[in-house]
Amino acid sequence: PNLFVGTGGDGHTYPGPTLPFGMVQLGPDTDVERWATCSGYHHGDSSIMGFSHTHLSGTGIGDMLDVLVVPSTGPVKLIPG
């Protein structure tokens, strides 16, 4: 199966697991400001900012953003790229 169906264009879905009953939805975040990335992930973006656990898939509207976990060393970068 193609995990990236609906992650580009206006699909607003994220490529991650959901369990139990949709309470945890772990997935990558590529941007937090554009309408195209309101599910947290957009297939056309070239970088991953971090990972969060509370995505809404297919809504077409932002979900009050997510708590972003960023595995890194050095200064925190909040601008994609």
Side-chain angles (χ1 to χ4, degrees), residues 16 38-39 42 48 52 64 68 75:
C38 66
S39 69
H42 193 272
I48 294 177
S52 59
M64 297 180 5
L68 192 64

Side-chain angles (χ1 to χ4, degrees), residues 14-27 53-57:
Y14 73 99
T18 300
L19 66 107
F21 306 109
M23 291 173 50
V24 176
Q25 300 167 330
L26 176 63
H53 294 76
T54 54
H55 292 93
L56 287 180
S57 191

Side-chain angles (χ1 to χ4, degrees), residues 8-55:
D10 294 333
H12 302 292
T13 60
Y14 73 99
T18 300
L19 66 107
F21 306 109
M23 291 173 50
V24 176
Q25 300 167 330
L26 176 63
D29 292 306
T30 58
D31 199 348
V32 296
E33 295 184 10
R34 298 186 343 250
W35 177 75
T37 59
C38 66
S39 69
Y41 181 85
H42 193 272
H43 187 69
D45 290 342
S46 61
S47 64
I48 294 177
M49 292 179 64
F51 297 86
S52 59
H53 294 76
T54 54
H55 292 93

Side-chain angles (χ1 to χ4, degrees), residues 70-76:
V70 182
S72 68
T73 59
V76 176

